[in-house]
Amino acid sequence: MKNREELQTLSAWAIKHRRYLHQYPELSGEEHKTNEYIKRIITGLGLEILDFPHPSLVAFLPGTKGSKTIALRADTDALPVHEEGEKAGYISKVPGVAHVCGHDGHTAILLAVAKWMSENHESIVHNVKFIFQSSEEISPSGALELVNAGVLEDVDAIFGIHLWQGLKKGSVGLTHGPMMGSSDDFEIVIEASGGHGSLPHETIDPTYIASHLIQSYQAIVSRQINPVDPSVISIGKIEGGTNYNIIPSTVTLSGSMRAVKTDTRDFIKKRILEQTNGICASFLATAKVEFIDGTPPVVNDSTESMFVEKVITEHLGANVFSLVDVVMAAEDFSFYLNERPGAFIFVGMNGEKSQYPHHHPKFDLDEEVFESAIHLFIKIVQQYPSD
């Protein structure tokens, strides 16, 4: 950047677009108007739009030497949440849909980066791909769709940011390795033999069996996995029965599982299946177990993450960098990192403006951190080594 005033002007431009996007959120896979909005801006900047699955949009800026290709990614989808709180005139105008994770900010920031790079093309050595990705919040993932479509075939490294409420405002951080957990769901249907609540001995009670399964799953985490290896199993839904005095014939458990290592992720699946079948068999019941694969763990490439740390300390300030703790929230940026080296970065914004956690109805971005995010993306591309 030439000066701080230029960065402030660019940030204000991004905030204007973020507030528009915030008012017109679209759910995963339905970001058609968002795509058109991005397309108008990108076309006006003179960037090439590449042929990738709609409603994602991928733009390309050739470097002045074209020695390498760096990809920068933003996500575009909103959530099925009815927004609450004071939003200074930019609250969602779509009932039951809101940008309560920050994707509107990510999109606006990447648009601002594209604007600056197109206007200062002479300072951009490497080719740059700008990935505006649909469907981060659901499975199948928009990132996986783009990877399968070849978005990374000519890419040397990829970087992404997340405006992060869990990190204090003024900090920018990452890890040099595992950073975020995998996310997979499961559904277990216990099939037994119900009957009258006064005659339990004449039944095989799936509700009672379910209680044993829930307890046993926690033993996977607490007694079968190394305590320093983060993992989570949570039952979010229990469904069964029609009346207080009737023992049902089936009970369904729905839950999620998270890990930061791929082998731990696989181990949890294996043990859930084995324990479910074993416990159900011991009570003369059976079970159907279905796993719904989600996203793998986010694991930063240590070489690229060390490079980002150097960029942060040199251009944002040594006191800005934070080595963050692993979080068990998931991000489909992991699909990119499975294919190419890169790093995912948290831009902290925890403070008075951003008090509520991601996905909360009152969640809001602190737009003052946009300057840091824009500056960081630009410097990552400019400082990326040529050899």
Side-chain angles (χ1 to χ4, degrees):
M1 307 297 293
K2 295 185 176 66
N3 54 57
R4 178 68 188 279
E5 184 178 349
E6 181 184 21
L7 182 58
Q8 289 174 334
T9 300
L10 192 60
S11 177
W13 183 90
I15 290 169
K16 178 188 70 173
H17 290 290
R18 177 259 165 166
R19 293 189 175 192
Y20 177 86
L21 292 167
H22 193 89
Q23 292 177 77
Y24 301 100
E26 295 177 292
L27 294 175
S28 306
E30 301 175 8
E31 307 100 310
H32 306 297
K33 292 180 180 178
T34 302
N35 175 286
E36 289 301 316
Y37 189 83
I38 296 169
K39 186 176 181 180
R40 284 196 299 272
I41 295 171
I42 290 296
T43 302
L45 295 174
L47 301 184
E48 179 185 1
I49 296 177
L50 305 180
D51 185 18
F52 284 97
H54 190 89
S56 292
L57 186 146
V58 181
F60 181 75
L61 176 70
T64 54
K65 293 183 180 178
S67 57
K68 291 187 177 181
T69 298
I70 311 302
L72 305 176
R73 175 269 204 168
D75 34 19
T76 63
D77 50 333
L79 285 156
V81 174
H82 181 74
E83 190 167 26
E84 300 174 4
E86 300 284 336
K87 295 295 194 307
Y90 58 88
I91 197 164
S92 172
K93 295 184 178 181
V94 182
V97 183
H99 274 295
V100 289
C101 194
H103 297 184
D104 52 334
H106 303 164
T107 297
I109 286 165
L110 191 55
L111 284 171
V113 173
K115 173 179 167 63
W116 190 89
M117 289 186 178
S118 68
E119 294 172 350
N120 296 270
H121 190 203
E122 71 284 352
S123 69
I124 306 302
V125 172
H126 302 295
N127 305 318
V128 185
K129 273 189 176 178
F130 303 92
I131 300 174
F132 297 91
Q133 177 214 306
S134 164
S135 304
E136 190 278 327
E137 297 286 359
I138 65 168
S139 201
S141 151
L144 181 58
E145 180 182 43
L146 287 175
V147 168
N148 289 339
V151 75
L152 297 181
E153 284 183 0
D154 57 349
V155 167
D156 293 280
I158 183 166
F159 301 92
I161 62 157
H162 203 309
L163 302 171
W164 197 247
Q165 193 274 337
L167 182 65
K168 70 177 181 178
K169 181 179 176 180
S171 293
V172 179
L174 42 56
T175 63
H176 301 305
M179 183 157 172
M180 301 180 75
S182 61
S183 178
D184 302 295
D185 300 331
F186 58 85
E187 183 175 272
I188 296 164
V189 181
I190 306 164
E191 298 180 330
S193 178
H196 201 285
S198 65
L199 303 169
H201 59 293
E202 295 182 358
T203 74
I204 298 173
D205 186 350
T207 306
Y208 178 68
I209 297 169
S211 70
H212 283 266
L213 292 178
I214 293 170
Q215 292 292 326
S216 80
Y217 298 154
Q218 299 313 310
I220 297 173
V221 173
S222 66
R223 291 296 180 269
Q224 300 176 41
I225 296 173
N226 190 323
V228 299
D229 181 5
S231 57
V232 174
I233 301 174
S234 297
I235 302 296
K237 183 179 179 182
I238 305 173
E239 197 170 32
T242 57
N243 204 4
Y244 73 96
N245 64 346
I246 300 174
I247 294 173
S249 292
T250 64
V251 167
T252 301
L253 302 178
S254 301
S256 68
M257 42 178 279
R258 296 169 185 261
V260 298
K261 295 180 180 177
T262 299
D263 56 353
T264 304
R265 182 190 188 197
D266 295 338
F267 177 79
I268 292 173
K269 289 183 181 180
K270 175 175 176 288
R271 291 303 295 146
I272 285 178
L273 181 61
E274 291 172 344
Q275 291 179 195
T276 299
N277 288 332
I279 290 172
C280 286
S282 72
F283 287 106
L284 305 178
T286 60
K288 293 179 180 178
V289 181
E290 179 185 6
F291 293 106
I292 302 95
D293 289 341
T295 56
V298 173
V299 182
N300 284 338
D301 178 88
S302 59
T303 299
E304 303 299 348
S305 63
M306 291 295 292
F307 160 70
V308 172
E309 177 181 348
K310 185 172 183 289
V311 171
I312 294 169
T313 55
E314 289 184 358
H315 296 281
L316 301 184
N319 62 329
V320 171
F321 178 75
S322 176
L323 194 62
V324 302
D325 294 327
V326 175
V327 298
M328 299 308 289
E331 235 288 347
D332 73 355
F333 194 80
S334 55
F335 286 112
Y336 300 118
L337 293 178
N338 278 357
E339 301 294 324
R340 292 292 186 273
F344 198 55
I345 308 149
F346 287 164
V347 177
M349 59 176 186
N350 181 281
E352 183 178 352
K353 180 65 186 298
S354 188
Q355 302 178 34
Y356 296 95
H358 297 268
H359 296 203
H360 190 283
K362 292 185 178 181
F363 171 85
D364 199 6
L365 297 177
D366 189 329
E367 296 168 336
E368 291 182 1
V369 306
F370 281 25
E371 288 185 28
S372 294
I374 294 167
H375 196 187
L376 177 60
F377 262 162
I378 291 171
K379 287 302 178 184
I380 284 174
V381 172
Q382 287 186 318
Q383 298 296 315
Y384 198 80
S386 296
D387 52 347

